[in-house]
């Protein structure tokens, strides 16, 4: 989405076994020179995150959890235009389609002391596509036609990256410098979650589970339900009888299962039946507490607004967060926990 957790999985799943064993893995890794724990976290950001109980270890645990369904835990894990995003790459699958990749490329370029040093590194890592990737057209908020056509020329008709473009993206995104850029970007995202938590849960407490849930929601969907929606749903929850609570929780699981069985839901083929059975079992056994009940309801509220590719990933977004909330779930066929009273 394991301690933690954009939701684009089906095509990546087929490639995961091959690159997962060979890639540079996400985590508090050593530098390529052997320097241990070389990745830096801004002291101000670290202090602010510590206020809500997030330390260095938890930051990297969150990064690992985020990367698992995206890249199989790899720092690079590039994919092509199968989802309409032109290229997605990096532990959070930043992409050209949403404009999330361009800032990372700009940041990497800006960290060289001279333009000559940048050009040398670019040409060494990506001799075929590097000049295009860092062109004005590819760094614009909306990429140019020339950029799009050039990058698509390195892919097949189904949006699968050709070996040259894929290798160059891996080389670039596995550099120590790009690992630092990705870390900085992710930490800034965590900082933004801090304010979101205060709005979404104004009466507190802010628990570890809520923090994990908020991180995944922010990373994958960019934000949280509006205040009016939160108020409406919470008023309905307050007025539920215990019987209604149970019935409505089970209805959420049936919604997930039903939408997952429709023709255009992807990324859940290895998970759907197992998750539905275990989560229903947990509800029947009374293993879902009030905080979990609230978070599952808010997850439903947000997941049904996942509109990417016409709503193609709604079931996937729900199952990612449900696994975080319940501590039980299957993501990409990797199963955690079970229904045990």
């Amino acid at each position: 989405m394991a301690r933690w957790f954009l939701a684009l999985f089906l095509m990546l799943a087929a490639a995961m076994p091959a690159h997962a064993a060979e890639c540079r893995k996400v985590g508090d890794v050593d530098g390529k020179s052997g320097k241990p724990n070389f990745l830096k976290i801004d002291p101000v950001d670290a202090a602010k995150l510590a206020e809500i109980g997030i330390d260095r270890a938890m930051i990297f645990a969150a990064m690992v959890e985020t990367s698992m369904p995206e890249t199989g835990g790899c720092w690079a894990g590039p994919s092509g235009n199968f989802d309409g995003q032109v290229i997605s790459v990096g532990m959070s699958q930043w992409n050209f389609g949403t404009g999330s990749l361009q800032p990372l490329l700009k940041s990497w370029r800006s960290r060289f002391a001279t333009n000559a040093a940048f050009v040398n590194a670019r040409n060494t890592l990506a001799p075929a596509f590097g000049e295009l990737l860092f062109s004005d057209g590819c760094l614009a908020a909306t990429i140019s036609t020339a950029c799009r056509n050039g990058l698509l020329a390195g892919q097949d008709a189904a949006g699968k990256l050709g070996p040259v473009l894929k290798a160059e993206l891996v080389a670039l995104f596995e550099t120590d410098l790009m690992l630092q850029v990705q870390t900085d970007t992710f930490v800034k995202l965590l900082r933004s979650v801090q304010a979101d938590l205060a709005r979404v849960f104004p009466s507190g407490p802010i628990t570890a589970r809520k923090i994990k849930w908020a991180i995944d929601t922010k990373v994958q969907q960019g934000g949280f339900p509006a205040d009016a929606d939160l108020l409406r749903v919470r008023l309905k929850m307050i007025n539920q009888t215990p019987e209604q609570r149970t019935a409505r929780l089970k209805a959420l699981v049936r919604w997930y299962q039903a939408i997952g069985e429709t023709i255009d839901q992807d990324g859940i083929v290895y998970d759907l039946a197992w998750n539905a059975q275990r989560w229903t079992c947990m509800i029947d056994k009374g293993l879902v507490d009030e905080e979990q009940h609230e978070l599952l309801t808010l997850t439903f509220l947000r997941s049904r607004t996942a509109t990417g590719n016409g709503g193609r990933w709604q079931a996937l977004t729900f199952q990612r967060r449900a696994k975080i909330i319940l501590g039980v779930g299957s993501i990409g066929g990797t199963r955690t926990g079970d229904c045990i009273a």
Side-chain angles (χ1 to χ4, degrees), residues 108-175:
W108 188 82
R109 182 183 64 180
S110 72
R111 300 188 190 208
F112 289 89
T114 65
N115 186 63
F118 156 69
V119 170
N120 181 63
R122 181 199 69 191
N123 292 346
T124 300
L125 294 164
F129 287 92
E131 188 172 358
L132 177 64
L133 284 167
F134 289 93
S135 67
D136 290 344
C138 284
L139 296 181
T142 300
I143 62 172
S144 68
T145 300
C147 170
R148 180 182 180 87
N149 291 342
L151 295 174
L152 293 181
Q155 310 179 34
D156 65 19
K160 181 179 179 181
L161 294 174
V164 175
L165 179 53
K166 181 175 181 180
E168 292 188 357
L169 288 167
V170 170
L172 173 61
F173 271 76
E174 287 191 350
T175 61

Side-chain angles (χ1 to χ4, degrees), residues 43-80:
V44 174
D45 290 334
K48 288 294 184 180
L49 290 172
E51 294 175 4
I52 58 171
I54 298 179
D55 59 13
R56 181 182 178 93
M58 295 172 75
I59 289 169
F60 284 102
M63 295 176 73
V64 171
E65 183 73 15
T66 298
S67 70
M68 288 306 296
E70 300 291 358
T71 66
C74 300
W75 280 105
S79 60

Side-chain angles (χ1 to χ4, degrees), residues 305-322:
T305 66
T307 57
N309 291 159
R312 180 182 177 189
W313 310 102
Q314 290 179 353
L316 178 58
T317 61
F318 184 85
Q319 76 176 26
R320 284 174 65 111
R321 257 141 265 162

Side-chain angles (χ1 to χ4, degrees), residues 298-309:
L298 298 185
T299 296
F300 164 68
L301 185 62
R302 192 70 180 104
S303 295
R304 71 186 186 187
T305 66
T307 57
N309 291 159

